[in-house]
Amino acid sequence: MKSKLPNASISIFAVMSKMAAEHNALNLSQGFPNFKSDPLLIELVHQAMKDGYNQYAPMPGDIGLREVISQKTANLHDKIYHPETEITVTAGATQAIFTIIATLINKGDEVIIFTPAYDCYDPTIKLFGGKTIPVQLKAPNYKVDWNEVEAKVSPKTKLIIINTPHNPSGIIFSENDMLQLQSLAEKHDLFVLSDEVYEHIIFDGNTHFSTARFPDLASRSFITASFGKTFHNTGWKMGYCLAPENLMAEFRKVHQFNVFSVNTPMQKALAEYLQTPDHYLGLSSFYQQKRDYFLSLIKNSRFKIIPSQGTYFQMLDFSEISQESDLKFSERLTKENKIATIPTSVFNANQEDFKQIRVCFAKTKETLQQAATILNSI
Ligand SMILES: Cc1ncc(COP(=O)(O)O)c(C=O)c1O
């Protein structure tokens, strides 16, 4: 069979997690918390199952959940997405991203992405015959040069994908970045996919400038969100997509033949759980404490560190420790030092190596202490 994705390999997350297991290493590679989700949320899922909510949900999602998502977005960003027509519940953000790209991209269309980029964008673009045009952000600050972005726009450019807060770098887009994006998208008539899965994990009093806040931008954008990231249950694969009615109508045509609808009891539970905004508004300070604690433990290590601005990832620059490639360095760390991290060159255009590894600090205090002891010894 001729492969549709001949160059796709096993994801780096699976590679590093497997290596971590084989070498009995502490796993700070894959982005998942090692602490429990709120027992209340789990109880609400149980209750929904016991109450008989076990059959198909409506194709766009449980209406109670869509209503509370609408309220949340209105409260946070002063923008109303209509629950009936502009919100769809998805099986995690990954499915939303896949469906958006499937909806928009035809053979020959070009899609601008910022590298380092989350790993599902490029293969999905290719699957639908599109061409990925990377804009490489540079360590250590990963700032966007909007003139460079504009220089990459061609008559074939259809979509631009952004991710803020950004995995793996931990940077966030400023208001000015979003305004620049808005004028670029308007000028060249581009669609925007705004991956905002870390919307509630933002530090040092900064603001998450959601695409939803910029009316002209929102009118041409799909926004994706992830309950897995927000409520410490990445294995549930629950998320949602926001878009104006005309875009959402097309999205749903694909969604209904892809997953049709997402599991019912978890939607019922989330609809209830989201009624209490503290459940997500407290997340930034929860993770900021973890970031600060972890960074205080490793402040005397030989890694060069710029504190993450958002997400639950921290970049560690090892250029003063070793000149090995980041792939070799993280392999050696896993096998010899017993700590697994992610080499970030795999997310860059042409595997550019900035000598940075990514660690996930969504971990218990004990795990962070163990990690720090190892990192301080390197
Ligand atoms: C930037 C980014 N987008 C999307 C996802 C996928 O989210 P989900 O698990 O809800 O599919 C992730 C998960 O790591 C991510 O980091």
Side-chain angles (χ1 to χ4, degrees), residues 86-333:
E86 300 186 316
I87 299 172
T88 300
V89 181
T90 60
T94 310
Q95 183 244 308
I97 292 164
F98 189 94
T99 305
I100 294 161
I101 294 172
T103 304
L104 286 175
I105 298 307
N106 296 305
K107 196 168 179 342
D109 288 339
E110 292 182 0
V111 182
I112 293 179
I113 69 169
F114 295 95
T115 49
Y118 186 59
D119 63 351
C120 75
Y121 307 152
D122 173 60
T124 312
I125 294 162
K126 290 202 174 104
L127 212 47
F128 293 95
K131 186 170 176 206
T132 301
I133 308 293
V135 174
Q136 180 63 52
L137 307 181
K138 301 279 183 192
N141 294 318
Y142 296 95
K143 282 250 20 114
V144 177
D145 173 346
W146 289 98
N147 291 327
E148 187 190 346
V149 182
E150 182 153 30
K152 302 244 171 161
V153 175
S154 84
K156 293 184 183 163
T157 312
K158 183 141 189 205
L159 171 68
I160 177 160
I161 301 181
I162 65 158
N163 169 218
T164 182
H166 181 248
N167 173 15
S169 74
I171 60 130
I172 54 175
F173 274 19
S174 65
E175 183 171 21
N176 183 51
D177 284 320
M178 298 306 286
L179 290 169
Q180 300 261 15
L181 172 67
Q182 177 167 256
S183 55
L184 188 82
E186 280 192 299
K187 183 169 164 194
H188 298 281
D189 195 18
L190 308 176
F191 292 104
V192 174
L193 190 172
S194 187
D195 180 347
E196 302 184 17
V197 297
Y198 301 102
E199 63 184 321
H200 298 299
I201 312 179
I202 192 144
F203 307 135
D204 305 317
N206 281 308
T207 301
H208 169 54
F209 287 103
S210 172
T211 293
R213 292 184 177 215
F214 302 85
D216 293 336
L217 186 56
S219 72
R220 52 179 69 250
S221 299
F222 295 87
I223 298 174
T224 60
S226 170
F227 292 121
K229 300 292 179 190
T230 302
F231 296 131
H232 319 311
N233 46 36
T234 55
W236 288 10
K237 297 300 297 183
M238 297 288 293
Y240 60 90
C241 179
L242 308 172
E245 184 172 353
N246 57 335
L247 303 190
M248 187 51 82
E250 291 304 312
F251 176 97
R252 287 182 181 172
K253 288 182 191 171
V254 180
H255 178 79
Q256 71 176 333
F257 298 118
N258 179 5
V259 288
F260 177 63
S261 69
V262 175
N263 84 72
T264 306
M266 284 173 185
Q267 293 196 62
K268 287 281 176 206
L270 285 163
E272 177 88 28
Y273 193 71
L274 281 163
Q275 303 282 351
T276 308
D278 282 354
H279 288 149
Y280 48 88
L281 295 181
L283 205 64
S284 288
S285 75
F286 173 80
Y287 275 121
Q288 184 165 330
Q289 278 171 29
K290 289 207 177 286
R291 180 202 65 173
D292 290 349
Y293 179 64
F294 180 55
L295 292 188
S296 74
L297 293 177
I298 60 169
K299 69 174 188 300
N300 294 325
S301 74
R302 292 160 73 209
F303 292 96
K304 281 192 284 179
I305 298 161
I306 297 179
S308 170
Q309 300 172 327
T311 75
Y312 46 48
F313 301 115
Q314 177 64 53
M315 292 289 231
L316 304 177
D317 178 320
F318 63 90
S319 58
E320 285 180 2
I321 301 173
S322 165
Q323 279 311 305
E324 286 163 289
S325 71
D326 65 349
L327 289 167
K328 277 260 162 291
F329 184 71
S330 41
E331 183 178 337
R332 188 162 63 77
L333 248 50

Side-chain angles (χ1 to χ4, degrees), residues 75-90:
N75 292 343
L76 291 175
H77 305 306
D78 199 18
K79 158 80 182 162
I80 292 175
Y81 284 91
H82 199 286
E84 285 286 353
T85 51
E86 300 186 316
I87 299 172
T88 300
V89 181
T90 60

